[in-house]
Amino acid sequence: METPYAIQLKDLRKRYGDVEVLKGVELNVRKGTMLALLGPNGAGKTTVVRALSTLTRPTSGTATVNGFDTVRERNGVRSSIGLVGQFVALDWMHTGRENLVMVGRLQKLSKPNAARRAEQLLEQFGLLDAGDRPVKTYSGGMKRRLDLAAGLIVTPAVLFLDEPTTGLDPRSRQVMWDVIRELLGSGITILLTTQYLEEADQLADEIAVLHGGRIIAQGTAEELKQAVGKERVEVVLATDEAFRRAGELITGEGRRTDPETRTISLVVEAPSHVKRVLDELERHGLALRSLSLTRPTLDDVFFALTGRDGIPAEPAPARADSQVGAAL
């Protein structure tokens, strides 16, 4: 029976010397969806991507991509995937077009087909006007778009994006997000690692949190947020005296106070709770500067699940690996 999953990891482990980076990772990604893999620096995100893309061999456990085992069927995996790593793996002295044609030829496209595909991708990624300029003249955002285009010379069943927007300015990041949304619409499966929680929230169908070498939570952004906590009401008082008196009057679950900003917040148990807070402040003549309702964010999820403690960093991938990845 055909599996609904494009990516499956079972008890995946990876050890570098005395350091066990992956300690039994379990993960399933449905076909045609995007999963964002979050975790602190050193959690093992890049090691997961390298194992899935055959760039490193797991110590034990199994991983399959598009039905191919990453150890026993490496060629099948490589023919099914595209990979965009953390480093731009391009020849900066050649033009954008020449880079794309070269990658196409490495993937066994004929010269006419490689040239045709390069033209299509330059247009799709908004690089047609810059296609015949050396890559060294490109901005950071343009280089990242070209790198992503190189990973799509042959449309893959599965695409790995390892922190593709790291170092980009907000405008370039938004352009990349738009391109990634278009790719999702084409039906391919995407695994994204990112340090930007907003990126995961905006793009991913599901999110998995990797910490201490294991997946400690997985679900939609909404499911993870709901698991962390409830809505909160936040009031900012107009004066120090109003803040002091409000602090004596307002009580409730999860109350937090910040004297510097004159802010009091607490969990909203029901809509009527907000009205009670406002009525109490009005009854005592305490002036408000602002009131807001806030829901848990992915930041709240991230810190609730992982805390703020560090773990040993994973070994950095060799430069050669990122170059190999671009040619997959």
Side-chain angles (χ1 to χ4, degrees), residues 185-206:
S186 70
I188 68 176
T189 303
I190 300 178
L191 188 145
L192 166 77
T193 74
T194 180
Q195 294 187 37
Y196 301 109
L197 300 184
E198 183 189 4
E199 188 162 89
D201 204 354
Q202 290 276 335
L203 299 175
D205 297 293
E206 279 201 314

Side-chain angles (χ1 to χ4, degrees), residues 14-45:
K14 179 62 181 179
R15 179 180 292 277
Y16 293 96
D18 294 332
V19 178
E20 190 176 28
V21 178
L22 304 181
K23 302 176 182 179
V25 174
E26 304 273 347
L27 189 64
N28 294 311
V29 183
R30 289 187 173 275
K31 293 177 180 177
T33 67
M34 173 190 280
L35 181 132
L37 188 61
L38 303 181
N41 288 334
K45 301 185 298 295

Side-chain angles (χ1 to χ4, degrees), residues 72-91:
R72 293 183 288 104
E73 300 169 298
R74 292 161 59 91
N75 288 339
V77 172
R78 291 191 172 204
S79 68
S80 300
I81 67 172
L83 170 62
V84 177
Q86 295 179 25
F87 306 101
V88 177
L90 303 167
D91 185 332

Side-chain angles (χ1 to χ4, degrees), residues 120-141:
Q120 292 171 347
L121 288 166
L122 288 171
E123 183 174 4
Q124 179 182 356
F125 285 83
L127 295 170
L128 202 54
D129 291 343
D132 295 312
R133 282 169 35 200
V135 173
K136 66 180 180 180
T137 68
Y138 286 18
S139 68

Side-chain angles (χ1 to χ4, degrees), residues 42-60:
K45 301 185 298 295
T46 293
T47 301
V48 168
V49 171
R50 295 179 72 206
L52 286 170
S53 56
T54 77
L55 294 178
T56 193
R57 191 185 185 102
T59 304
S60 63

Side-chain angles (χ1 to χ4, degrees), residues 203-245:
L203 299 175
D205 297 293
E206 279 201 314
I207 295 168
V209 181
L210 182 67
H211 185 54
R214 296 182 177 88
I215 300 295
I216 60 172
Q218 183 174 350
T220 66
E222 286 306 307
E223 288 169 345
L224 294 178
K225 290 173 188 176
Q226 289 172 12
V228 165
K230 306 172 185 176
E231 270 190 316
R232 300 182 69 88
V233 59
E234 181 177 279
V235 293
V236 179
L237 283 302
T239 66
D240 290 339
E241 177 60 18
F243 172 78
R244 184 190 66 76
R245 292 183 61 198

Side-chain angles (χ1 to χ4, degrees), residues 269-317:
E269 298 166 355
S272 60
H273 191 189
V274 178
K275 185 176 184 304
R276 288 201 303 272
V277 169
L278 291 175
D279 288 346
E280 188 73 5
L281 294 173
E282 185 177 9
R283 189 163 68 87
H284 289 82
L286 303 181
L288 279 179
R289 176 166 292 173
S290 66
L291 177 143
S292 60
L293 284 172
T294 61
R295 302 184 64 199
T297 65
L298 273 188
D299 294 69
D300 298 322
V301 171
F302 187 80
F303 289 120
L305 291 171
T306 68
R308 297 175 182 271
D309 57 314
I311 59 175
E314 64 186 294

